[in-house]
Amino acid sequence: EAQVTQNPRYLITVTGKKLTVTCSQNMNHEYMSWYRQDPGLGLRQIYYSMNVEVTDKGDVPEGYKVSRKEKRNFPLILESPSPNQTSLYFCASSPRTGALNTEAFFGQGTRLTVV
Amino acid sequence: SQKIEQNSEALNIQEGKTATLTCNYTNYSPAYLQWYRQDPGRGPVFLLLIRENEKEKRKERLKVTFDTTLKQSLFHITASQPADSATYLCALEDYGQNFVFGPGTRLSVLP
């Protein structure tokens, strides 16, 4: 089954403790992206990647890191989480860069709470 | 600066009526535009894509129009049902070939 898998689904952590949220897709997609969603603010893009070893900042990259060492995986790293990073996070992938005229597939979301 | 706007944060309509949602954009020249549905706590799900050379696209009770002169897309749900209640997002590609989403409109269909 074609899917984007995020782990964990729920995470409660303490301020300053490094964490990684994993994202994996099984569709051989070139494009992957991370978003956070907060009430009233919609989906805000954190980072995106057009292909392996190619990443770029989105609208709200501060406090986050990503890597794209292989096509299927795009982990989101919070080196020193803070309470303002408490949010619902989504990973997405899409088949093509450039003319991205096909749909994006989203993961099931990761609800992160930083205390 | 580039911007995507959706007509209202929330829209309430009566069951059976047609819901019309608006997506406006500035400083983009998208080759296509997409619409997604998002239920609370879940990831967006793709509904429809319309290309710049298409005026209208239909899928069952859904209809999308795309006016590149007005820089606007309209999304219609005919014969709306309570199960259509969700947040609807428009999305397009920016100049950096990145995927960007509008803020969404939360639709409530009242029985």
Side-chain angles (χ1 to χ4, degrees), chain B residues 5 14 20 30 32 37 47 51 55 74 93:
Chain B
E5 294 177 319
Q14 210 64 39
T20 298
Y32 61 92
R37 169 183 173 139
L47 295 174
R51 293 183 170 79
K55 294 294 183 192
L74 299 180
E93 179 187 315

Side-chain angles (χ1 to χ4, degrees), chain B residues 4-17:
Chain B
I4 306 174
E5 294 177 319
Q6 293 190 240
N7 56 327
S8 55
E9 191 175 326
L11 179 66
N12 296 330
I13 64 165
Q14 210 64 39
E15 183 177 5
K17 301 292 187 184

Side-chain angles (χ1 to χ4, degrees), chain A residues 7-70:
Chain A
N7 279 298
R9 291 291 310 278
Y10 301 92
L11 179 60
I12 301 174
T13 190
V14 296
T15 299
K17 185 176 181 183
K18 180 179 178 179
L19 66 90
T20 299
V21 184
T22 64
C23 175
S24 181
Q25 49 95 1
N26 62 0
M27 296 167 279
N28 201 36
H29 287 171
E30 293 176 339
Y31 177 92
M32 297 186 74
S33 181
W34 275 103
Y35 301 87
R36 63 177 287 175
Q37 190 168 41
D38 304 287
L41 294 178
L43 279 172
R44 293 185 294 167
Q45 192 179 50
I46 303 171
Y47 270 95
Y48 64 97
S49 171
M50 293 293 191
N51 213 327
V52 176
E53 301 292 359
V54 180
T55 63
D56 214 339
K57 296 178 181 178
D59 296 321
V60 289
E62 292 76 22
Y64 304 94
K65 282 176 56 178
V66 293
S67 69
R68 189 89 182 275
K69 292 185 170 55
E70 39 184 355

Side-chain angles (χ1 to χ4, degrees), chain A residues 31 35 37 42-43 45 48 50 90 98-104 106-108, chain B residues 32 34 36 38 41-44 46 49 51 89 93 96-99 101 103:
Chain A
Y31 177 92
Y35 301 87
Q37 190 168 41
L43 279 172
Q45 192 179 50
Y48 64 97
M50 293 293 191
F90 290 104
L100 290 168
N101 58 353
T102 54
E103 64 188 275
F106 281 80
Q108 65 273 55
Chain B
Y32 61 92
Q34 301 185 5
Y36 288 76
Q38 187 178 23
R42 304 180 74 92
F46 173 80
L49 178 152
R51 293 183 170 79
L89 308 164
E93 179 187 315
Q97 300 174 345
N98 184 26
F99 219 6
F101 284 84

